[in-house]
Amino acid sequence: APVVSISVAPDGLRVACGTSRGALGVLDVASHKYGTLVRAHTGAILDIACSKDKFATCGADATVRVWDETTGLQKSELASPDDRALVLAWRPESDDVAVGFA
């Protein structure tokens, strides 16, 4: 599936990639190896934000999800039936994620 969103980790050593089919993958910059981390959404991943050890994703399925990079497990989910999350950003040095809705 085509990559439709990317985010570079704060250390610059990983690039998170979201696909049109909802998969979240990670490219290791040093080794040039790519691996699918998880099927994150039922539709396209619209945006990704990386922190030191987590990824946040928002998808066409009207959810925002936070993933643990090491385990690949979902840590939290926010569903918004009335608004669509389009953009994400981590607040530096915190666990706060800003979400932009349309």
Side-chain angles (χ1 to χ4, degrees):
V3 171
V4 294
S5 56
I6 64 166
S7 180
V8 178
D11 62 9
L13 299 177
R14 300 171 327 280
V15 178
C17 305
T19 72
S20 62
R21 294 199 176 142
L24 173 63
V26 179
L27 171 67
D28 181 279
V29 174
S31 69
H32 298 135
K33 292 185 180 180
Y34 176 83
T36 299
L37 183 63
V38 68
R39 174 128 170 107
H41 293 271
T42 58
I45 294 179
L46 304 175
D47 197 21
I48 304 170
C50 296
S51 75
K52 186 168 53 173
D53 58 354
K54 293 184 280 291
F55 300 110
T57 58
C58 62
D61 59 3
T63 62
V64 174
R65 300 175 187 197
V66 177
W67 306 91
D68 182 282
E69 181 186 357
T70 304
T71 65
L73 296 176
Q74 182 176 310
K75 297 183 71 72
S76 60
E77 178 177 336
L78 166 71
S80 178
D82 297 326
D83 295 312
R84 188 171 181 184
L86 296 177
V87 295
L88 302 166
W90 282 103
R91 182 177 176 190
E93 305 302 323
S94 78
D95 279 337
D96 298 335
V97 178
V99 182
F101 292 94

